[in-house]
Amino acid sequence: MIIEEELELMEKTMRSVFIGEVADLPQKLGKTVTIGNKEIAVFKTENGDIRAIENRCPHKGGVLAEGILSGDYVFCPMHDWKISITDGKVQAPDVGCVQTYPVEVKEDRVYILIHEKVGGEGNCSTPLAKGV
């Protein structure tokens, strides 16, 4: 019962933002989308999955939409850090993570789900690394 109430509350606090048609997204390349004050990197993988992550590497802020996509990972264009586009985790030996965003596709239209309240995303709170 508590889980159902939490899910209902979560749905009420998320907003769905249309970002374009599936055909508008380049395959295996990133696209930068700005929603409010959030800059998001959107990727369409080789198998057609669409993923959305925070558009800056936790290392030195490299623009991830400009990185090289290989499978479910993007390589930061600045220092080649390998970051999962499914869970946002940086791969060892490096550490950190980026925010991920749920994506919905309805009738070939792509939407990113964003929390309404400030600080409501919550799956990664790793600040940029300093001096590395």
Side-chain angles (χ1 to χ4, degrees):
M1 184 69 155
I2 292 175
I3 292 174
E4 289 177 18
E5 291 173 1
E6 288 176 2
L7 286 174
E8 185 176 315
L9 178 62
M10 195 165 98
E11 288 175 4
K12 287 180 180 175
T13 62
M14 296 189 84
R15 121 178 112 110
S16 181
V17 179
F18 172 69
I19 62 161
E21 304 286 332
V22 171
D24 295 338
L25 296 174
Q27 196 159 23
K28 296 179 66 177
L29 295 174
K31 177 179 178 179
T32 298
V33 174
T34 303
I35 301 174
N37 63 355
K38 299 177 189 306
E39 191 169 288
I40 298 171
V42 179
F43 297 95
K44 182 163 67 176
T45 66
E46 194 168 9
N47 66 9
D49 290 341
I50 299 172
R51 306 282 187 209
I53 63 173
E54 180 180 359
N55 196 21
R56 63 183 222 166
C57 177
H59 177 217
K60 297 231 176 177
V63 178
L64 295 178
E66 296 175 3
I68 295 173
L69 186 67
S70 177
D72 287 335
Y73 298 95
V74 62
F75 291 83
C76 176
M78 289 181 70
H79 297 100
D80 210 30
W81 279 32
K82 184 179 179 183
I83 301 167
S84 169
I85 60 170
T86 58
D87 64 13
K89 292 181 181 173
V90 172
Q91 304 303 294
D94 303 310
V95 294
C97 61
V98 296
Q99 181 68 50
T100 60
Y101 299 92
V103 174
E104 282 185 344
V105 177
K106 295 178 183 173
E107 299 176 2
D108 291 329
R109 297 171 55 96
V110 181
Y111 299 86
I112 294 178
L113 303 177
I114 302 287
H115 279 278
E116 288 287 334
K117 62 182 179 181
V118 175
E121 303 301 339
N123 74 348
C124 182
S125 60
T126 303
L128 286 176
K130 295 180 180 176
V132 178

